[in-house]
Amino acid sequence: MQVYKGGAAGLNSVLFIGKNYRVKAVNHNGKLEAKVQPLHKGEGRLDTFLNKIPFVRGLWSIVKAMMNVYKQLVLAFAALLLVGKALPGGQAGSSVLLTEKEWLFSVAMIAIAGLVIRFTSISKYHAAEHMVAHCEDKNLPLTYENVANQPRVHPRCGTNLVVFIVFNTILLSFFMESMLLNMLIAWSIGYEMFRMKRSRLKPFYKLGSFLQHYCFTSEPEEKHLNIAIESMNTLKSVEA
């Protein structure tokens, strides 16, 4: 039985979230430390309940995303794209399509986010998080050798979710004037697409995999993998 429900990478850390706990393994001055935090009372039950309701669970994912670490950066810049009418040159309540200036600004912000992640240790911890998740998905022992042989691109990465959200935002922008409503609907529909069988949405996942590989992950070193392994092992221990 899979023990983790989600994960995230930080500048010097890897976080995995289970049913009752979240565990963050941190590289603290070269020393590995695992910090265990129980979920707030009712948080696990609330998550289970809301995840059973189509479209509502997409909005709930927004709240959960803000509790993660590195994804705050990615999702924050994606949000700039979604609420483009609030960017310089845009006018709230104006016509549906974003202006050229807004698109350029939004794309530039997302590109900057990718560069920050790609060229810092976040990309290595992000890859390590994915590789440990792959190992756990396959029920393989969490040894360094097993984890090191896993791919660094994961189909359930939030990058894929962002691809779906942006696609729906562009599509809905032809029919809706309210960017806030556009954002909420695009996120809800995108999340449902994210939960569908990947075989039906191959082009989206190919784009997401490309972005993960070249923008949001890089080849991890042994220390990055060990921190991710420690985070997952600790979570499995406290959840047992």
Side-chain angles (χ1 to χ4, degrees):
M1 180 178 176
Q2 191 180 86
V3 69
Y4 78 99
K5 299 174 69 175
L11 191 60
N12 291 297
S13 65
V14 172
L15 167 75
F16 282 110
I17 302 171
K19 183 178 180 181
N20 301 300
Y21 297 91
R22 57 169 55 94
V23 176
K24 184 198 290 189
V26 182
N27 181 358
H28 185 65
N29 295 325
K31 184 179 180 181
L32 193 156
E33 298 179 3
K35 302 177 181 180
V36 179
Q37 179 183 7
L39 299 181
H40 297 301
K41 186 177 180 180
E43 183 179 338
R45 292 192 296 272
L46 179 63
D47 183 63
T48 300
F49 172 72
L50 292 178
N51 274 321
K52 294 179 180 178
I53 308 175
F55 301 105
V56 171
R57 58 195 172 198
L59 299 179
W60 171 237
S61 73
I62 300 176
V63 178
K64 291 194 296 181
M66 299 315 296
M67 295 188 294
N68 287 341
V69 184
Y70 106 91
K71 291 186 179 70
Q72 291 183 27
L73 185 59
V74 179
L75 294 173
F77 285 119
L80 286 177
L81 175 61
L82 300 178
V83 295
K85 287 300 176 185
L87 296 173
Q91 296 179 0
S94 61
S95 60
V96 285
L97 293 178
L98 301 180
T99 67
E100 181 180 350
K101 182 177 181 180
E102 291 165 344
W103 278 115
L104 290 174
F105 185 84
S106 302
V107 171
M109 290 298 96
I110 294 175
I112 291 172
L115 289 172
V116 169
I117 292 172
R118 183 63 175 77
F119 294 105
T120 64
S121 65
I122 296 176
S123 63
K124 296 180 183 294
Y125 286 110
H126 188 196
E129 174 214 339
H130 286 179
M131 293 162 78
V132 166
H134 273 298
C135 211
E136 186 66 15
D137 293 343
K138 299 172 183 177
N139 293 315
L140 296 173
L142 288 178
T143 63
Y144 174 79
E145 291 74 18
N146 284 341
V147 172
N149 287 323
Q150 302 305 313
R152 72 180 199 233
V153 171
H154 199 285
R156 294 199 303 276
C157 176
T159 303
N160 294 327
L161 175 59
V162 170
V163 170
F164 290 127
I165 293 169
V166 172
F167 169 78
N168 284 300
T169 299
I170 295 172
L171 188 63
L172 289 171
S173 70
F174 288 94
F175 309 101
M176 302 179 63
E177 294 188 6
S178 170
M179 289 305 296
L180 177 59
L181 184 60
N182 183 321
M183 180 188 73
L184 295 176
I185 294 176
W187 199 300
S188 295
I189 296 175
Y191 191 78
E192 295 305 312
M193 294 173 69
F194 186 58
R195 293 173 62 95
M196 290 173 63
K197 289 185 178 180
R198 293 188 293 277
S199 59
R200 300 178 181 177
L201 299 164
K202 285 184 179 180
F204 295 97
Y205 279 98
K206 285 184 178 180
L207 176 57
S209 295
F210 176 87
L211 293 173
Q212 285 184 59
H213 188 83
Y214 291 102
C215 300
F216 300 126
T217 66
S218 57
E219 199 63 36
E221 301 168 19
E222 183 174 354
K223 64 180 180 180
H224 305 110
L225 294 178
N226 285 337
I227 284 179
I229 291 171
E230 179 66 19
S231 179
M232 182 65 80
N233 275 334
T234 303
L235 179 65
K236 292 172 71 172
S237 176
V238 297
E239 291 281 357

